[in-house]
Amino acid sequence: MLIAVMRIFRKGNIAAVFVLGAICMIIYFCQYRPDLTNHNFSSRTLSDAFHDDNQSETVIKPYTHEFFVPKCEANMLVADMKDFSSLPDTIKNFLYYRHCRTFPLLLDLLDKCGGDNGSKEVFLLLVIKSSPLNYDRREVLRKTWARERLHNGVWIRRIFILGTSGSGYEKKKLNKLLEAEQEDFNDILQWDFDDTFHNLTLKQMLFYGWMERNCPNARFLLNSDDDVFAHTDNMIEYLQHLPDNDGSKHLFTGYLFLNEKVVRWKESKYFIPVQVQESNTYLPYCGGGGYLLSSYTALVIYKMSQSIPIHPIDDAYMGMCLAKAGLSPSSHIGVKTLGLNMPSKGADHLQPCYLRDLLLVHRFLPADLYLMWKEVHNPHLKCNP
Ligand SMILES: *[C@@H]1O[C@H](CO)[C@@H](O)[C@H](O)[C@H]1NC(C)=O
Ligand SMILES: *[C@@H]1O[C@H](CO)[C@@H](O)[C@H](O)[C@H]1NC(C)=O
Ligand SMILES: *[C@@H]1O[C@H](CO)[C@@H](O)[C@H](O)[C@H]1NC(C)=O
Ligand SMILES: *[C@@H]1O[C@H](CO)[C@@H](O)[C@H](O)[C@H]1NC(C)=O
């Protein structure tokens, strides 16, 4: 066929060029059509891919046809806002892509919760924000507080939520590693967006969207970072003792911030300019290191989020969503997400006796976490009353 095509070209016949074009188009369509039928791309998935405003993401794994997922384009109009050029690059970047809420799902978890109905068997779903490079943290969590297990007669399940890191070859390589990890542990949800600090809210909302479809009846969730010590046994006991412990009532508890000031200092990681938020204080929220919530509240937050523009500080954004629904976050004395509230500073938080009675403490190195989890569960551990 190639020879025939070359002959036609030599003759310089215009009609022949059209024929060639037609052949190319036929080849093109023949290549894609089988995927549409065999891989069962539902019309809903396709239309979602073209409607950014709809909240569900498009599954391209294991179908791998990025062809169907248009990239969310930067909104260049934001550059017209007052003093845009004086903003740090991270904030500019945030503003350009703030409207993007739909991203392809690269790694999905089928049946993590046993389907819609089965998901009520999950008592505590651990939803842990991680990023591609944090392999060592995930490894330790799987062996310690995030181990999937039956505790006090109820199920604990684990999901890490991630975006992507790097670009080009580096990104591909990291994604391959995650794929391998997924094969071994089946605990990763990954979407195709840059896993940056300012995209954490996006990550959280993509998760709630996934949860609404795949795990709506899990009773409670722990939302946490991958560098915390979460005493999940204590959490179960706390949740089981609630008057309503089926997850159908409002619960949102952790380390509570009231009237927290918005950081206006440009060099800070938490810097928020007036172009993103005018008011100088945040609505009440729980620190993002870790908080517990009911599935009822998670789904309310997700619903509210659909009409609230994304704010880059993810935990503060939860507060905004709660306020919109007329709900309040509450304080739990067992959650220490700031290093500051330790009985005394320094290595004291490495005391198993101190950790034994808490729900969550922020910031541990993987090795310390591993050690502490063992110590806390040591039956011979002696503590002063
Ligand atoms: C396609 O999906 C529908 C609904 O999810 C299902 O009933 C059907 O069996 C699927 N077909 C194939 C070929 O997988
Ligand atoms: C989003 O999708 C849902 C169900 O798939 C549909 O009911 C709703 O109208 C859609 N919203 C928009 C804005 O397209
Ligand atoms: C789902 O749960 C409802 C109520 O608990 C039950 O009636 C129904 O049979 C369940 N469906 C499946 C497929 O398990
Ligand atoms: C969030 O992710 C999108 C998609 O990868 C990217 O275009 C955008 O720059 C990211 N935003 C920030 C603030 O990093």
Side-chain angles (χ1 to χ4, degrees), residues 49-64:
F50 288 99
H51 290 100
D52 266 344
D53 53 345
N54 218 316
Q55 296 294 307
S56 49
E57 73 282 88
T58 307
V59 179
I60 63 166
K61 258 291 171 176
Y63 315 120
T64 50

Side-chain angles (χ1 to χ4, degrees), residues 1 14 63 68 83 100 131-132 136-137 139 156 203 205 276 315:
M1 185 172 115
I14 294 196
Y63 315 120
F68 288 114
D83 296 330
C100 301
S131 59
D136 56 342
R137 296 190 191 174
E139 266 304 275
I156 301 177
K203 181 191 277 189
M205 291 306 130
V276 174
D315 41 8

Side-chain angles (χ1 to χ4, degrees), residues 27 76-77 92 94 140 154 197 214 223 246 308 350 381:
I27 291 172
M76 302 312 282
L77 295 177
K92 283 184 188 158
F94 167 76
V140 165
V154 296
F197 178 68
N214 298 283
N223 265 341
D246 65 354
I308 307 179
L350 291 182
L381 177 68

Side-chain angles (χ1 to χ4, degrees), residues 36-243:
L36 276 173
T37 48
N38 289 351
H39 291 155
N40 216 353
F41 247 140
S42 68
S43 59
R44 184 172 157 274
T45 309
L46 269 180
S47 77
D48 280 349
F50 288 99
H51 290 100
D52 266 344
D53 53 345
N54 218 316
Q55 296 294 307
S56 49
E57 73 282 88
T58 307
V59 179
I60 63 166
K61 258 291 171 176
Y63 315 120
T64 50
H65 275 287
E66 292 172 59
F67 175 76
F68 288 114
V69 185
K71 223 175 140 211
C72 182
E73 298 296 340
N75 172 11
M76 302 312 282
L77 295 177
V78 296
D80 296 339
M81 62 174 64
K82 195 165 176 290
D83 296 330
F84 182 82
S85 61
S86 69
L87 297 173
D89 286 346
T90 48
I91 295 289
K92 283 184 188 158
N93 194 21
F94 167 76
L95 287 167
Y96 279 131
Y97 294 98
R98 187 184 204 174
H99 61 290
C100 301
R101 295 203 182 201
T102 308
F103 287 90
L105 190 54
L106 296 177
L107 294 175
D108 196 1
L109 287 168
L110 304 171
D111 224 30
K112 170 59 72 175
C113 300
D116 282 16
N117 245 12
S119 62
K120 59 179 181 296
E121 302 305 322
V122 178
F123 187 81
L124 180 59
L125 184 60
L126 309 172
V127 184
I128 307 162
K129 284 180 240 123
S130 192
S131 59
L133 285 166
N134 292 356
Y135 175 77
D136 56 342
R137 296 190 191 174
R138 289 190 292 279
E139 266 304 275
V140 165
L141 296 196
R142 287 177 182 123
K143 289 180 189 152
T144 59
W145 61 260
R147 194 164 59 78
E148 296 197 324
R149 63 199 190 275
L150 199 59
H151 181 80
N152 261 10
V154 296
W155 278 105
I156 301 177
R157 296 256 178 246
R158 168 188 73 235
I159 299 180
F160 291 106
I161 54 177
L162 292 87
T164 65
S165 292
S167 61
Y169 174 72
E170 176 72 5
K171 173 174 164 177
K172 277 214 176 99
K173 194 179 79 180
L174 284 168
N175 287 354
K176 267 223 145 73
L177 280 168
L178 285 169
E179 247 175 72
E181 216 176 314
Q182 181 79 324
E183 263 177 38
D184 286 349
F185 302 106
N186 196 45
D187 59 4
I188 295 176
L189 283 177
Q190 186 196 23
W191 291 267
D192 195 5
F193 66 86
D194 286 344
D195 201 328
T196 59
F197 178 68
H198 288 88
N199 265 343
L200 285 177
T201 306
L202 170 69
K203 181 191 277 189
Q204 192 63 54
M205 291 306 130
L206 286 168
F207 171 76
Y208 286 150
W210 180 91
M211 177 197 161
E212 186 180 63
R213 277 169 284 120
N214 298 283
C215 202
N217 301 312
R219 296 177 185 211
F220 298 99
L221 295 91
L222 167 70
N223 265 341
S224 84
D225 291 345
D226 61 4
D227 60 350
V228 304
F229 179 98
H231 202 317
T232 42
D233 298 345
N234 288 355
M235 285 179 187
I236 293 285
E237 277 139 44
Y238 161 69
L239 294 168
Q240 282 180 324
H241 282 98
L242 292 175

